[in-house]
Amino acid sequence: HRCEVAGLHITSGQVAFDVETTQGGLIEALMARIDDCDMHGQTTAAVRLSATGNARSSVMLHHCEFHNLQRAILIDDQGVGGFSMLHAMHCHFDAVQTGCEASVSASGGAMSMAMFDRSEFKQGQQFLRVQRAPTGNQQYMVRLLHCDISTSGDAVDIQGNALGMTMVHHHHSTLA
């Protein structure tokens, strides 16, 4: 169930990588993987991760570069009994207005997550925005580890709801 793409330079279009896996996992060996790719100029997002139904949709971004974008990553988590999992390691965001935007209405599944490790965001408006639907009861966690984030607006904007726990875990990160 694993798909791996490496070494591409993608310019323009709506979405560079549109990811929806049905049997992805919480560990790297089970995730779709995008390695050492350079993306810029996409109009919707460079990477879109979608989870619907009971899909376990997951992707790892490793050594990816995002440049001159309105939005680098878009997560659309509408699962029922599934989850979405994004793990971005050693990624660089430059002149990107929003690094990652997650729209979460999932319910009844394992916890969904967006994790960023050893990544850098500069010259952008906002690194991360999470919006929860009022009816979604699934837990959602954001993890920032050893990240250097410098924005002209709010670095992180997370909206929770009354039904599902929404968590932020960060350490050894600079948020400015």
Side-chain angles (χ1 to χ4, degrees):
H1 299 111
R2 183 173 165 167
C3 174
E4 189 167 343
V5 177
L8 297 177
H9 178 88
I10 300 173
T11 302
S12 71
Q14 290 181 343
V15 177
F17 296 100
D18 197 350
V19 180
E20 184 168 9
T21 61
T22 57
Q23 298 297 317
L26 299 173
I27 60 172
E28 178 182 342
L30 299 174
M31 294 181 166
R33 185 170 169 143
I34 300 169
D35 241 339
D36 194 29
C37 289
D38 186 352
M39 295 153 271
H40 66 276
Q42 286 74 39
T43 57
T44 300
V47 175
R48 179 171 48 201
L49 175 64
S50 302
T52 57
N54 65 354
R56 298 189 306 255
S57 199
S58 58
V59 65
M60 172 175 266
L61 308 175
H62 193 249
H63 288 283
C64 288
E65 302 284 334
F66 301 94
H67 304 281
N68 301 317
L69 296 159
Q70 284 296 109
R71 184 186 308 112
I73 301 165
L74 175 61
I75 300 171
D76 184 16
D77 191 349
Q78 300 178 32
V80 178
F83 61 80
S84 69
M85 173 71 65
L86 169 79
H87 192 178
M89 296 180 64
H90 301 282
C91 292
H92 297 95
F93 303 79
D94 186 26
V96 173
Q97 288 306 303
T98 302
C100 179
E101 182 177 332
S103 175
V104 183
S105 59
S107 61
M111 177 173 46
S112 291
M113 297 178 73
M115 301 181 292
F116 296 88
D117 297 345
R118 292 168 175 79
S119 294
E120 179 184 50
F121 182 88
K122 60 184 180 179
Q123 299 184 46
Q125 176 68 27
Q126 183 173 59
F127 177 65
L128 177 67
R129 179 173 46 236
V130 176
Q131 297 176 314
R132 299 287 307 260
T135 56
N137 64 9
Q138 189 159 310
Q139 294 181 9
Y140 197 84
M141 180 176 175
V142 171
R143 185 183 81 182
L144 305 173
L145 174 64
H146 295 285
C147 292
D148 185 10
I149 299 167
S150 178
T151 66
S152 60
D154 295 329
V156 176
D157 178 10
I158 297 182
Q159 172 193 29
N161 68 14
L163 299 176
M165 183 178 359
T166 306
M167 302 166 274
V168 177
H169 173 87
H170 82 89
H171 53 94
H172 306 294
S173 293
T174 302
L175 305 173

